Amino acid sequence: MSTSQALKAKQSRSAQVRGQLDYPVIDTDIHTNEFSPLLEDYIAQYGGAKVVDTFREHLRTNGLNALAAEWYRATPQERQDKRLFRPPFWALPAQNSYDLATVSLPSLLSERLEELGTDYAVLYPNVSLFPINSANEDLRRSLSRAVNHYHADIYRPYADRLTPVAAIPLHTPGEGIEELEYAINTLGLKTALIPGAVRRPVKALAEKYPDDAELRRYAYWLDFFGIDSAHDYDPFWQKSIELGINLSTHSGSQSWVARNSPSNYMFNHINHFADASEALAKALFFGGVTERFPQLRIALLEAGASWGANVLTHLVDRFEKRGNAHVQQYNPANIDRQLIIDLYRQHGQELFRGREYSDDQIIESVFGVASAFRFREQPAESINDFALAKINQIEDIYERWVPNFYFGNEADDRTIVGALNPKGNPFGKKVHALYSSDSGHWDVPELTEPLAEAYDLVREGAITEEDFKALVFDHPYSFYTANNPDFFKGTQVEQKLQKNWAA
Protein backbone atom coordinates (compact mmCIF):
# COMPACT_ATOMS: atom_id res chain seq x y z
CA MET A 1 0.00 0.00 0.00
CA SER A 2 1.38 3.37 -0.98
CA THR A 3 1.72 6.24 1.48
CA SER A 4 -1.26 8.06 -0.05
CA GLN A 5 -3.39 4.93 0.04
CA ALA A 6 -2.45 4.30 3.67
CA LEU A 7 -3.38 7.86 4.54
CA LYS A 8 -6.73 7.53 2.78
CA ALA A 9 -7.43 4.27 4.60
CA LYS A 10 -6.61 5.88 7.94
CA GLN A 11 -8.81 8.88 7.26
CA SER A 12 -12.02 7.10 6.18
CA ARG A 13 -14.93 7.33 8.61
CA SER A 14 -15.12 3.57 8.92
CA ALA A 15 -11.39 3.23 9.57
CA GLN A 16 -11.72 5.79 12.35
CA VAL A 17 -14.54 3.77 13.91
CA ARG A 18 -12.51 0.59 13.70
CA GLY A 19 -9.52 2.34 15.22
CA GLN A 20 -11.38 2.87 18.49
CA LEU A 21 -12.55 -0.74 18.81
CA ASP A 22 -10.74 -3.41 20.83
CA TYR A 23 -12.29 -6.26 18.84
CA PRO A 24 -12.24 -7.28 15.17
CA VAL A 25 -14.87 -6.29 12.61
CA ILE A 26 -16.30 -9.15 10.54
CA ASP A 27 -18.32 -8.27 7.44
CA THR A 28 -20.50 -11.25 6.51
CA ASP A 29 -21.60 -10.04 3.07
CA ILE A 30 -19.43 -8.38 0.43
CA HIS A 31 -20.42 -8.99 -3.18
CA THR A 32 -17.74 -9.56 -5.78
CA ASN A 33 -17.62 -9.78 -9.56
CA GLU A 34 -15.77 -12.40 -11.57
CA PHE A 35 -13.21 -11.88 -14.32
CA SER A 36 -15.19 -13.65 -17.03
CA PRO A 37 -12.35 -14.68 -19.38
CA LEU A 38 -10.59 -16.57 -16.58
CA LEU A 39 -13.80 -18.01 -15.19
CA GLU A 40 -14.62 -19.39 -18.63
CA ASP A 41 -11.48 -21.52 -18.46
CA TYR A 42 -12.85 -23.20 -15.34
CA ILE A 43 -16.29 -23.55 -16.91
CA ALA A 44 -14.79 -25.22 -19.97
CA GLN A 45 -12.92 -27.63 -17.70
CA TYR A 46 -16.09 -28.84 -16.00
CA GLY A 47 -18.82 -28.19 -18.53
CA GLY A 48 -17.24 -27.87 -21.93
CA ALA A 49 -17.86 -25.33 -24.68
CA LYS A 50 -21.63 -25.67 -24.53
CA VAL A 51 -21.80 -24.51 -20.92
CA VAL A 52 -19.40 -21.67 -21.72
CA ASP A 53 -21.85 -20.52 -24.39
CA THR A 54 -24.71 -20.69 -21.91
CA PHE A 55 -22.72 -18.64 -19.44
CA ARG A 56 -21.99 -16.01 -22.08
CA GLU A 57 -25.69 -15.80 -22.88
CA HIS A 58 -26.31 -15.31 -19.18
CA LEU A 59 -23.95 -12.32 -19.23
CA ARG A 60 -25.60 -10.91 -22.35
CA THR A 61 -28.95 -10.92 -20.58
CA ASN A 62 -27.43 -8.96 -17.70
CA GLY A 63 -27.17 -12.02 -15.48
CA LEU A 64 -30.92 -12.55 -15.44
CA ASN A 65 -32.94 -15.73 -15.36
CA ALA A 66 -35.07 -16.61 -18.37
CA LEU A 67 -38.25 -15.03 -17.03
CA ALA A 68 -36.52 -11.74 -16.23
CA ALA A 69 -34.69 -11.68 -19.55
CA GLU A 70 -38.02 -12.03 -21.35
CA TRP A 71 -39.12 -8.71 -19.84
CA TYR A 72 -36.51 -6.90 -21.92
CA ARG A 73 -37.59 -8.63 -25.11
CA ALA A 74 -41.29 -7.93 -24.57
CA THR A 75 -43.29 -4.84 -25.46
CA PRO A 76 -44.94 -2.84 -22.64
CA GLN A 77 -48.28 -4.44 -23.51
CA GLU A 78 -46.82 -7.94 -23.53
CA ARG A 79 -45.31 -7.29 -20.10
CA GLN A 80 -48.75 -6.46 -18.78
CA ASP A 81 -50.49 -9.33 -20.55
CA LYS A 82 -47.99 -11.93 -19.33
CA ARG A 83 -47.44 -10.24 -15.97
CA LEU A 84 -43.68 -10.23 -16.50
CA PHE A 85 -42.10 -8.80 -13.37
CA ARG A 86 -39.86 -5.77 -13.68
CA PRO A 87 -36.38 -7.23 -13.03
CA PRO A 88 -33.48 -5.51 -11.26
CA PHE A 89 -31.48 -3.03 -13.29
CA TRP A 90 -28.33 -0.96 -12.75
CA ALA A 91 -27.47 -3.04 -9.71
CA LEU A 92 -23.79 -2.06 -9.35
CA PRO A 93 -22.21 1.23 -8.19
CA ALA A 94 -21.03 2.13 -11.69
CA GLN A 95 -20.22 5.80 -11.09
CA ASN A 96 -17.77 4.91 -8.32
CA SER A 97 -15.34 3.19 -10.66
CA TYR A 98 -12.69 2.68 -7.98
CA ASP A 99 -15.11 0.69 -5.85
CA LEU A 100 -16.43 -1.21 -8.85
CA ALA A 101 -12.91 -2.37 -9.66
CA THR A 102 -12.24 -3.13 -5.99
CA VAL A 103 -14.93 -5.81 -5.77
CA SER A 104 -13.58 -7.40 -8.96
CA LEU A 105 -9.88 -7.55 -7.99
CA PRO A 106 -8.99 -9.77 -5.01
CA SER A 107 -5.69 -8.07 -4.23
CA LEU A 108 -7.23 -4.59 -4.27
CA LEU A 109 -10.14 -5.65 -2.09
CA SER A 110 -7.78 -7.21 0.43
CA GLU A 111 -5.66 -4.06 0.41
CA ARG A 112 -8.64 -1.78 0.95
CA LEU A 113 -10.20 -3.66 3.88
CA GLU A 114 -8.40 -1.27 6.23
CA GLU A 115 -10.14 1.61 4.49
CA LEU A 116 -13.47 -0.23 4.86
CA GLY A 117 -12.84 -0.63 8.59
CA THR A 118 -13.02 -4.40 8.24
CA ASP A 119 -10.68 -7.08 9.55
CA TYR A 120 -12.24 -9.99 7.73
CA ALA A 121 -14.93 -10.41 5.09
CA VAL A 122 -17.04 -13.25 3.74
CA LEU A 123 -17.56 -12.88 0.01
CA TYR A 124 -20.67 -13.61 -2.02
CA PRO A 125 -19.71 -13.64 -5.71
CA ASN A 126 -22.65 -12.35 -7.73
CA VAL A 127 -22.30 -15.18 -10.23
CA SER A 128 -22.83 -17.82 -7.52
CA LEU A 129 -26.57 -17.32 -7.46
CA PHE A 130 -26.91 -18.22 -11.13
CA PRO A 131 -25.92 -21.91 -11.14
CA ILE A 132 -27.60 -22.98 -7.90
CA ASN A 133 -30.96 -21.68 -9.10
CA SER A 134 -30.82 -23.25 -12.56
CA ALA A 135 -33.35 -25.96 -13.40
CA ASN A 136 -30.92 -27.55 -15.87
CA GLU A 137 -29.05 -30.24 -13.94
CA ASP A 138 -25.99 -30.43 -16.20
CA LEU A 139 -25.62 -26.66 -16.20
CA ARG A 140 -26.33 -26.35 -12.49
CA ARG A 141 -23.78 -28.90 -11.39
CA SER A 142 -20.95 -28.19 -13.80
CA LEU A 143 -21.19 -24.43 -13.40
CA SER A 144 -21.38 -24.67 -9.59
CA ARG A 145 -18.20 -26.74 -9.60
CA ALA A 146 -16.43 -24.30 -11.93
CA VAL A 147 -17.51 -21.23 -9.96
CA ASN A 148 -16.33 -22.78 -6.70
CA HIS A 149 -12.96 -23.84 -8.10
CA TYR A 150 -12.39 -20.41 -9.63
CA HIS A 151 -13.11 -18.51 -6.42
CA ALA A 152 -11.14 -20.92 -4.24
CA ASP A 153 -8.09 -20.33 -6.44
CA ILE A 154 -8.22 -16.56 -6.82
CA TYR A 155 -8.90 -15.81 -3.13
CA ARG A 156 -6.55 -18.39 -1.61
CA PRO A 157 -3.64 -15.90 -1.41
CA TYR A 158 -5.80 -13.57 0.69
CA ALA A 159 -7.22 -16.14 3.12
CA ASP A 160 -6.08 -14.12 6.11
CA ARG A 161 -8.67 -11.47 5.26
CA LEU A 162 -11.12 -12.88 2.71
CA THR A 163 -13.08 -16.08 2.18
CA PRO A 164 -15.60 -16.79 -0.59
CA VAL A 165 -18.68 -18.92 -0.10
CA ALA A 166 -19.10 -22.20 -1.91
CA ALA A 167 -22.14 -22.27 -4.20
CA ILE A 168 -24.14 -25.41 -3.36
CA PRO A 169 -27.01 -26.55 -5.61
CA LEU A 170 -29.80 -28.25 -3.70
CA HIS A 171 -32.38 -29.61 -6.13
CA THR A 172 -31.72 -32.93 -4.38
CA PRO A 173 -29.94 -33.69 -1.11
CA GLY A 174 -27.47 -35.88 -2.99
CA GLU A 175 -26.18 -33.17 -5.31
CA GLY A 176 -25.88 -30.82 -2.37
CA ILE A 177 -23.81 -33.30 -0.38
CA GLU A 178 -21.57 -34.06 -3.35
CA GLU A 179 -20.75 -30.41 -4.04
CA LEU A 180 -20.38 -29.58 -0.36
CA GLU A 181 -17.84 -32.36 0.15
CA TYR A 182 -15.87 -31.31 -2.94
CA ALA A 183 -15.88 -27.64 -2.01
CA ILE A 184 -14.66 -28.28 1.52
CA ASN A 185 -12.46 -31.36 1.23
CA THR A 186 -10.89 -30.65 -2.17
CA LEU A 187 -11.06 -26.88 -2.66
CA GLY A 188 -10.62 -25.85 0.98
CA LEU A 189 -13.63 -23.54 1.12
CA LYS A 190 -15.16 -23.20 4.56
CA THR A 191 -18.63 -21.67 4.28
CA ALA A 192 -21.43 -22.22 1.81
CA LEU A 193 -24.37 -20.62 0.02
CA ILE A 194 -27.54 -22.61 -0.66
CA PRO A 195 -30.64 -21.50 -2.56
CA GLY A 196 -33.52 -20.26 -0.44
CA ALA A 197 -35.95 -22.46 -2.36
CA VAL A 198 -36.27 -24.64 -5.44
CA ARG A 199 -39.02 -24.11 -7.98
CA ARG A 200 -40.71 -27.39 -8.83
CA PRO A 201 -43.51 -28.14 -11.32
CA VAL A 202 -47.00 -28.77 -10.00
CA LYS A 203 -47.22 -32.50 -10.64
CA ALA A 204 -50.92 -32.69 -11.52
CA LEU A 205 -50.64 -29.90 -14.10
CA ALA A 206 -47.36 -31.15 -15.54
CA GLU A 207 -48.89 -34.59 -16.08
CA LYS A 208 -52.10 -33.19 -17.56
CA TYR A 209 -50.33 -30.73 -19.88
CA PRO A 210 -46.91 -32.30 -20.50
CA ASP A 211 -46.22 -30.27 -23.65
CA ASP A 212 -47.29 -26.87 -22.37
CA ALA A 213 -44.00 -25.16 -21.51
CA GLU A 214 -45.72 -21.81 -20.91
CA LEU A 215 -47.99 -23.31 -18.28
CA ARG A 216 -45.12 -25.08 -16.54
CA ARG A 217 -43.25 -21.82 -16.27
CA TYR A 218 -46.04 -20.21 -14.27
CA ALA A 219 -47.50 -23.26 -12.54
CA TYR A 220 -44.85 -24.09 -9.98
CA TRP A 221 -44.49 -24.49 -6.25
CA LEU A 222 -41.61 -23.51 -4.00
CA ASP A 223 -39.78 -26.20 -2.07
CA PHE A 224 -38.18 -24.75 1.08
CA PHE A 225 -36.42 -28.00 2.11
CA GLY A 226 -38.43 -28.41 5.31
CA ILE A 227 -42.18 -28.78 5.68
CA ASP A 228 -43.85 -30.45 2.66
CA SER A 229 -40.56 -30.86 0.79
CA ALA A 230 -40.20 -33.17 -2.20
CA HIS A 231 -37.14 -34.79 -0.59
CA ASP A 232 -35.79 -35.67 2.82
CA TYR A 233 -32.99 -33.12 3.25
CA ASP A 234 -31.89 -34.41 6.66
CA PRO A 235 -28.78 -36.09 5.19
CA PHE A 236 -27.67 -32.75 3.78
CA TRP A 237 -28.15 -30.90 7.07
CA GLN A 238 -26.27 -33.66 8.87
CA LYS A 239 -23.39 -33.55 6.38
CA SER A 240 -23.02 -29.79 6.70
CA ILE A 241 -22.71 -30.14 10.48
CA GLU A 242 -20.20 -33.00 10.15
CA LEU A 243 -18.07 -30.90 7.80
CA GLY A 244 -18.21 -27.91 10.14
CA ILE A 245 -19.96 -25.79 7.53
CA ASN A 246 -22.48 -23.19 8.52
CA LEU A 247 -24.80 -22.36 5.66
CA SER A 248 -26.25 -19.15 4.31
CA THR A 249 -28.89 -18.05 1.85
CA HIS A 250 -29.08 -14.95 -0.26
CA SER A 251 -32.29 -15.56 -2.14
CA GLY A 252 -35.16 -13.22 -2.82
CA SER A 253 -38.82 -13.33 -3.73
CA GLN A 254 -39.03 -10.95 -6.70
CA SER A 255 -41.55 -12.29 -9.24
CA TRP A 256 -43.56 -14.01 -6.49
CA VAL A 257 -47.28 -13.21 -6.65
CA ALA A 258 -47.20 -10.10 -4.49
CA ARG A 259 -43.95 -8.90 -6.09
CA ASN A 260 -44.91 -9.09 -9.73
CA SER A 261 -45.18 -5.51 -10.93
CA PRO A 262 -44.33 -5.31 -14.64
CA SER A 263 -43.23 -1.68 -14.28
CA ASN A 264 -41.69 -0.91 -10.88
CA TYR A 265 -38.45 -2.49 -9.62
CA MET A 266 -38.70 -0.95 -6.14
CA PHE A 267 -42.24 -2.28 -5.69
CA ASN A 268 -40.87 -5.77 -6.31
CA HIS A 269 -37.71 -5.19 -4.28
CA ILE A 270 -38.68 -3.80 -0.88
CA ASN A 271 -38.60 -6.58 1.74
CA HIS A 272 -38.28 -9.31 -0.88
CA PHE A 273 -35.20 -10.82 0.79
CA ALA A 274 -37.02 -10.88 4.12
CA ASP A 275 -40.06 -12.64 2.64
CA ALA A 276 -37.93 -15.33 1.04
CA SER A 277 -35.85 -15.84 4.18
CA GLU A 278 -38.94 -15.98 6.36
CA ALA A 279 -40.44 -18.71 4.21
CA LEU A 280 -37.28 -20.82 4.43
CA ALA A 281 -36.88 -20.36 8.17
CA LYS A 282 -40.52 -21.20 8.90
CA ALA A 283 -40.30 -24.30 6.70
CA LEU A 284 -37.28 -25.55 8.63
CA PHE A 285 -38.92 -24.72 11.96
CA PHE A 286 -42.33 -26.28 11.27
CA GLY A 287 -40.71 -29.22 9.48
CA GLY A 288 -38.83 -30.06 12.66
CA VAL A 289 -35.42 -29.54 11.06
CA THR A 290 -34.13 -27.25 13.79
CA GLU A 291 -35.44 -29.68 16.41
CA ARG A 292 -33.63 -32.64 14.84
CA PHE A 293 -30.47 -30.64 14.17
CA PRO A 294 -29.94 -28.15 17.00
CA GLN A 295 -26.37 -27.60 15.75
CA LEU A 296 -27.58 -26.38 12.35
CA ARG A 297 -26.71 -22.74 11.70
CA ILE A 298 -28.08 -20.75 8.75
CA ALA A 299 -27.43 -17.09 7.96
CA LEU A 300 -30.29 -15.38 6.16
CA LEU A 301 -28.63 -12.47 4.44
CA GLU A 302 -29.61 -9.03 3.17
CA ALA A 303 -33.06 -9.33 4.72
CA GLY A 304 -32.68 -7.26 7.88
CA ALA A 305 -32.91 -8.70 11.36
CA SER A 306 -36.23 -7.30 12.54
CA TRP A 307 -38.32 -9.94 10.76
CA GLY A 308 -36.53 -12.65 12.74
CA ALA A 309 -37.69 -11.10 16.00
CA ASN A 310 -41.18 -10.53 14.60
CA VAL A 311 -41.66 -14.15 13.53
CA LEU A 312 -40.35 -15.36 16.88
CA THR A 313 -43.07 -13.31 18.57
CA HIS A 314 -45.77 -14.57 16.19
CA LEU A 315 -44.74 -18.18 16.74
CA VAL A 316 -45.36 -17.74 20.45
CA ASP A 317 -48.67 -15.95 19.86
CA ARG A 318 -49.95 -18.72 17.62
CA PHE A 319 -48.69 -21.54 19.81
CA GLU A 320 -50.51 -20.12 22.81
CA LYS A 321 -53.72 -20.07 20.77
CA ARG A 322 -53.45 -23.12 18.49
CA GLY A 323 -50.50 -25.23 19.59
CA ASN A 324 -50.95 -28.73 21.04
CA ALA A 325 -54.13 -29.00 23.11
CA HIS A 326 -54.89 -25.28 22.70
CA VAL A 327 -56.32 -25.92 19.24
CA GLN A 328 -59.11 -28.02 20.75
CA GLN A 329 -60.83 -24.88 21.99
CA TYR A 330 -61.83 -24.33 18.34
CA ASN A 331 -63.01 -27.88 17.73
CA PRO A 332 -66.74 -27.72 16.87
CA ALA A 333 -67.21 -31.04 18.62
CA ASN A 334 -66.57 -29.27 21.92
CA ILE A 335 -69.51 -26.88 21.78
CA ASP A 336 -72.11 -26.94 24.53
CA ARG A 337 -74.99 -27.74 22.20
CA GLN A 338 -77.75 -27.39 24.77
CA LEU A 339 -76.46 -24.06 26.09
CA ILE A 340 -76.47 -22.55 22.60
CA ILE A 341 -80.00 -23.83 21.90
CA ASP A 342 -81.29 -22.47 25.20
CA LEU A 343 -79.71 -19.05 24.61
CA TYR A 344 -81.17 -18.83 21.11
CA ARG A 345 -84.62 -19.81 22.39
CA GLN A 346 -84.33 -17.15 25.08
CA HIS A 347 -82.67 -14.27 23.21
CA GLY A 348 -83.17 -15.03 19.53
CA GLN A 349 -86.88 -14.50 19.06
CA GLU A 350 -86.36 -11.17 17.30
CA LEU A 351 -84.23 -13.03 14.74
CA PHE A 352 -86.82 -15.81 14.33
CA ARG A 353 -89.60 -13.28 13.52
CA GLY A 354 -92.33 -15.69 14.43
CA ARG A 355 -90.98 -18.64 12.51
CA GLU A 356 -89.98 -21.95 14.02
CA TYR A 357 -86.46 -23.34 13.67
CA SER A 358 -85.14 -26.73 14.67
CA ASP A 359 -82.29 -27.24 17.09
CA ASP A 360 -80.07 -28.38 14.22
CA GLN A 361 -80.79 -25.18 12.28
CA ILE A 362 -79.84 -23.12 15.30
CA ILE A 363 -76.56 -24.98 15.75
CA GLU A 364 -75.82 -24.66 12.04
CA SER A 365 -76.38 -20.91 12.23
CA VAL A 366 -73.94 -20.44 15.10
CA PHE A 367 -71.03 -21.19 12.78
CA GLY A 368 -72.26 -18.87 10.05
CA VAL A 369 -70.28 -19.08 6.83
CA ALA A 370 -67.98 -21.58 8.51
CA SER A 371 -70.81 -24.08 8.87
CA ALA A 372 -69.76 -25.95 5.73
CA PHE A 373 -66.73 -27.38 7.50
CA ARG A 374 -67.62 -27.07 11.16
CA PHE A 375 -68.00 -30.79 11.71
CA ARG A 376 -65.61 -31.96 9.01
CA GLU A 377 -63.24 -34.52 10.41
CA GLN A 378 -59.59 -33.45 10.58
CA PRO A 379 -56.80 -36.02 10.35
CA ALA A 380 -55.30 -36.36 13.80
CA GLU A 381 -51.76 -35.85 12.49
CA SER A 382 -52.65 -32.54 10.84
CA ILE A 383 -54.34 -30.78 13.72
CA ASN A 384 -51.25 -29.64 15.61
CA ASP A 385 -49.10 -27.46 13.35
CA PHE A 386 -46.33 -27.47 15.97
CA ALA A 387 -46.05 -31.25 16.21
CA LEU A 388 -43.04 -31.81 13.93
CA ALA A 389 -41.13 -29.10 15.75
CA LYS A 390 -41.98 -30.87 19.03
CA ILE A 391 -43.02 -27.70 20.80
CA ASN A 392 -44.31 -28.46 24.29
CA GLN A 393 -43.78 -25.05 25.86
CA ILE A 394 -42.94 -21.61 24.54
CA GLU A 395 -39.31 -21.99 25.62
CA ASP A 396 -39.00 -24.72 22.98
CA ILE A 397 -39.83 -22.12 20.32
CA TYR A 398 -36.86 -20.06 21.40
CA GLU A 399 -34.58 -23.10 21.28
CA ARG A 400 -35.77 -24.06 17.78
CA TRP A 401 -35.38 -20.53 16.39
CA VAL A 402 -32.82 -18.26 17.99
CA PRO A 403 -29.74 -20.54 18.09
CA ASN A 404 -30.26 -21.77 14.51
CA PHE A 405 -30.87 -18.57 12.57
CA TYR A 406 -28.68 -15.52 12.10
CA PHE A 407 -30.04 -12.47 10.32
CA GLY A 408 -27.97 -10.38 7.94
CA ASN A 409 -28.55 -6.69 8.56
CA GLU A 410 -27.26 -4.04 6.19
CA ALA A 411 -25.37 -1.13 7.68
CA ASP A 412 -28.01 1.54 7.02
CA ASP A 413 -30.99 -0.63 7.98
CA ARG A 414 -32.51 1.05 11.02
CA THR A 415 -34.99 -1.77 11.58
CA ILE A 416 -32.21 -3.46 13.53
CA VAL A 417 -33.34 -1.36 16.48
CA GLY A 418 -36.35 -3.65 16.91
CA ALA A 419 -34.29 -6.80 16.52
CA LEU A 420 -31.88 -5.75 19.27
CA ASN A 421 -34.56 -4.50 21.64
CA PRO A 422 -34.85 -7.21 24.33
CA LYS A 423 -38.36 -6.01 25.13
CA GLY A 424 -39.43 -6.64 21.55
CA ASN A 425 -40.19 -10.34 21.99
CA PRO A 426 -41.70 -12.57 24.71
CA PHE A 427 -38.31 -13.86 25.86
CA GLY A 428 -36.66 -10.54 26.60
CA LYS A 429 -33.61 -11.52 24.53
CA LYS A 430 -32.07 -10.35 21.28
CA VAL A 431 -31.96 -12.32 18.05
CA HIS A 432 -28.66 -12.81 16.22
CA ALA A 433 -28.09 -9.89 13.86
CA LEU A 434 -25.05 -10.00 11.54
CA TYR A 435 -23.17 -7.05 10.10
CA SER A 436 -23.69 -7.53 6.37
CA SER A 437 -22.52 -4.46 4.49
CA ASP A 438 -23.83 -5.67 1.10
CA SER A 439 -20.88 -3.84 -0.41
CA GLY A 440 -20.64 -4.27 -4.16
CA HIS A 441 -24.35 -3.65 -4.77
CA TRP A 442 -26.25 -0.46 -5.59
CA ASP A 443 -27.23 0.26 -1.99
CA VAL A 444 -23.55 0.82 -1.12
CA PRO A 445 -22.37 3.61 -3.45
CA GLU A 446 -19.27 4.11 -1.28
CA LEU A 447 -17.40 1.11 0.15
CA THR A 448 -15.88 3.04 3.01
CA GLU A 449 -19.20 4.09 4.53
CA PRO A 450 -21.09 0.99 5.80
CA LEU A 451 -19.27 0.45 9.10
CA ALA A 452 -19.50 4.17 9.90
CA GLU A 453 -23.20 4.14 9.01
CA ALA A 454 -23.77 1.27 11.41
CA TYR A 455 -21.93 3.13 14.15
CA ASP A 456 -24.00 6.25 13.49
CA LEU A 457 -26.85 4.35 15.15
CA VAL A 458 -24.78 4.26 18.34
CA ARG A 459 -24.08 7.98 18.14
CA GLU A 460 -27.78 8.63 17.68
CA GLY A 461 -28.70 6.47 20.68
CA ALA A 462 -30.69 3.99 18.58
CA ILE A 463 -28.48 1.05 19.63
CA THR A 464 -25.86 0.65 22.33
CA GLU A 465 -22.11 0.07 22.11
CA GLU A 466 -22.84 -3.47 23.26
CA ASP A 467 -25.33 -3.89 20.41
CA PHE A 468 -22.76 -2.67 17.90
CA LYS A 469 -20.15 -5.12 19.15
CA ALA A 470 -22.67 -7.97 18.91
CA LEU A 471 -23.50 -6.91 15.35
CA VAL A 472 -19.99 -6.60 13.92
CA PHE A 473 -18.13 -9.18 16.00
CA ASP A 474 -19.92 -11.33 18.58
CA HIS A 475 -22.64 -12.71 16.34
CA PRO A 476 -20.51 -13.19 13.21
CA TYR A 477 -17.80 -14.88 15.27
CA SER A 478 -20.23 -17.21 17.04
CA PHE A 479 -21.94 -18.08 13.76
CA TYR A 480 -18.85 -19.14 11.86
CA THR A 481 -17.21 -20.94 14.78
CA ALA A 482 -20.34 -22.75 16.01
CA ASN A 483 -19.46 -25.93 14.12
CA ASN A 484 -15.88 -25.04 13.22
CA PRO A 485 -13.85 -23.59 16.10
CA ASP A 486 -10.87 -23.14 13.75
CA PHE A 487 -12.75 -21.05 11.19
CA PHE A 488 -10.66 -17.96 11.91
CA LYS A 489 -7.37 -19.74 12.45
CA GLY A 490 -4.57 -17.93 10.63
CA THR A 491 -6.71 -14.89 9.89
CA GLN A 492 -6.54 -11.26 10.93
CA VAL A 493 -9.37 -12.00 13.37
CA GLU A 494 -7.25 -14.54 15.25
CA GLN A 495 -4.24 -12.22 15.26
CA LYS A 496 -6.21 -9.30 16.62
CA LEU A 497 -7.84 -11.40 19.32
CA GLN A 498 -4.48 -12.83 20.38
CA LYS A 499 -2.98 -9.36 20.51
CA ASN A 500 -5.84 -8.12 22.67
CA TRP A 501 -5.63 -11.12 24.99
CA ALA A 502 -1.90 -10.60 25.37
CA ALA A 503 -2.47 -6.97 26.26
Side-chain angles (χ1 to χ4, degrees):
M1 181 183 295
S2 68
T3 302
S4 61
Q5 289 172 326
L7 181 62
K8 184 177 182 180
K10 186 176 181 180
Q11 290 178 339
S12 76
R13 287 211 313 143
S14 291
Q16 291 174 17
V17 169
R18 177 176 171 271
Q20 68 188 40
L21 306 177
D22 60 358
Y23 49 84
V25 172
I26 302 169
D27 188 341
T28 65
D29 185 19
I30 290 182
H31 290 279
T32 59
N33 298 321
E34 70 287 342
F35 183 60
S36 299
L38 178 58
L39 176 57
E40 287 181 4
D41 292 342
Y42 288 83
I43 295 173
Q45 175 184 345
Y46 290 104
K50 185 177 180 180
V51 176
V52 172
D53 290 341
T54 302
F55 175 69
R56 288 175 177 171
E57 177 62 24
H58 173 68
L59 295 182
R60 280 194 292 271
T61 58
N62 198 29
L64 302 172
N65 61 39
L67 188 61
E70 185 178 355
W71 186 91
Y72 284 96
R73 295 192 296 266
T75 66
Q77 188 59 50
E78 288 173 334
R79 293 166 187 165
Q80 292 287 339
D81 294 344
K82 292 187 175 183
R83 300 308 298 179
L84 300 176
F85 87 102
R86 175 60 156 116
F89 67 98
W90 295 352
L92 301 179
Q95 185 172 344
N96 191 333
S97 301
Y98 187 34
D99 283 1
L100 187 60
T102 297
V103 296
S104 303
L105 298 168
S107 64
L108 181 57
L109 178 58
S110 178
E111 184 179 278
R112 290 193 66 195
L113 279 195
E114 296 281 343
E115 192 179 343
L116 275 58
T118 299
D119 292 275
Y120 190 84
V122 180
L123 310 178
Y124 284 80
N126 288 318
V127 73
S128 296
L129 290 172
F130 170 49
I132 63 176
N133 289 298
S134 174
N136 183 310
E137 182 177 359
D138 291 338
L139 175 64
R140 182 174 66 247
R141 302 193 68 175
S142 61
L143 193 53
S144 294
R145 181 67 53 91
V147 164
N148 290 336
H149 196 168
Y150 166 81
H151 289 112
D153 282 355
I154 68 169
Y155 286 105
R156 189 172 291 111
Y158 312 99
D160 65 324
R161 288 183 175 274
L162 304 171
T163 190
V165 296
I168 306 299
L170 213 52
H171 275 59
T172 67
E175 73 175 25
I177 290 172
E178 183 177 328
E179 189 59 35
L180 195 63
E181 289 180 326
Y182 185 84
I184 280 67
N185 296 332
T186 302
L187 299 179
L189 297 173
K190 54 184 182 179
T191 186
L193 169 71
I194 62 172
V198 168
R199 291 192 180 196
R200 303 195 191 278
V202 177
K203 184 179 179 181
L205 292 177
E207 291 177 347
K208 187 174 182 179
Y209 306 101
D211 300 322
D212 193 333
E214 191 78 4
L215 176 63
R216 290 200 304 273
R217 188 178 68 177
Y218 290 102
Y220 65 85
W221 64 281
L222 293 167
D223 188 339
F224 296 105
F225 316 121
I227 194 76
D228 303 323
S229 178
H231 299 282
D232 176 8
Y233 280 91
D234 281 5
F236 177 78
W237 310 128
Q238 182 62 47
K239 178 59 65 174
S240 70
I241 294 170
E242 290 174 1
L243 293 173
I245 298 300
N246 293 327
L247 307 168
S248 60
T249 66
H250 208 295
S251 297
S253 60
Q254 292 187 72
S255 83
W256 292 10
V257 174
R259 302 187 179 282
N260 202 37
S261 167
S263 62
N264 196 294
Y265 170 32
M266 287 296 97
F267 175 88
N268 296 331
H269 183 273
I270 294 173
N271 284 338
H272 83 103
F273 284 116
D275 284 355
S277 293
E278 179 182 319
L280 172 62
K282 288 191 300 186
L284 299 180
F285 174 86
F286 282 112
V289 174
T290 56
E291 186 277 327
R292 295 191 296 277
F293 300 100
Q295 291 175 274
L296 184 66
R297 299 291 183 271
I298 296 183
L300 305 146
L301 295 177
E302 207 169 324
S306 61
W307 72 265
N310 292 342
V311 174
L312 177 64
T313 298
H314 292 318
L315 288 172
V316 172
D317 292 343
R318 273 114 177 118
F319 177 76
E320 291 180 331
K321 299 295 191 301
R322 299 188 67 92
N324 296 358
H326 298 306
V327 74
Q328 292 300 327
Q329 63 188 317
Y330 312 109
N331 186 344
N334 291 329
I335 65 170
D336 187 330
R337 179 183 172 90
Q338 193 57 54
L339 175 62
I340 290 175
I341 292 170
D342 291 344
L343 290 173
Y344 263 75
R345 298 295 184 197
Q346 181 179 355
H347 298 282
Q349 294 303 316
E350 60 180 327
L351 303 178
F352 295 170
R353 296 188 177 183
R355 286 179 287 185
E356 291 294 325
Y357 294 96
S358 68
D359 292 349
D360 287 343
Q361 286 177 304
I362 291 174
I363 295 299
E364 191 81 14
S365 176
V366 167
F367 290 92
V369 295
S371 62
F373 54 83
R374 66 184 177 88
F375 284 127
R376 185 171 295 170
E377 289 294 327
Q378 298 294 323
E381 67 275 9
S382 69
I383 291 176
N384 181 13
D385 289 329
F386 293 83
L388 293 178
K390 297 184 179 178
I391 305 300
N392 295 310
Q393 52 191 355
I394 63 170
E395 288 74 18
D396 294 335
I397 296 175
Y398 183 92
E399 293 302 323
R400 310 282 196 275
W401 187 265
V402 175
N404 301 92
F405 300 121
Y406 286 68
F407 308 97
N409 202 90
E410 296 176 28
D412 59 350
D413 187 346
R414 299 182 65 88
T415 64
I416 192 174
V417 175
L420 297 180
N421 179 3
K423 297 181 180 179
N425 67 71
F427 302 99
K429 298 179 182 179
K430 304 170 185 179
V431 298
H432 295 137
L434 298 173
Y435 172 57
S436 303
S437 72
D438 200 37
S439 295
H441 278 179
W442 60 261
D443 49 339
V444 184
E446 171 54 61
L447 287 178
T448 63
E449 275 297 291
L451 185 68
E453 288 179 328
Y455 196 75
D456 285 343
L457 297 178
V458 179
R459 295 191 176 100
E460 296 167 12
I463 64 175
T464 66
E465 292 276 2
E466 180 186 7
D467 292 335
F468 182 79
K469 180 174 181 287
L471 177 67
V472 304
F473 172 66
D474 292 338
H475 293 164
Y477 188 85
S478 68
F479 173 75
Y480 289 111
T481 59
N483 291 310
N484 180 6
D486 293 329
F487 185 93
F488 291 104
K489 186 175 182 179
T491 71
Q492 290 292 319
V493 172
E494 181 186 53
Q495 293 178 26
K496 190 165 187 176
L497 289 176
Q498 289 177 343
K499 181 179 179 180
N500 291 345
W501 292 333

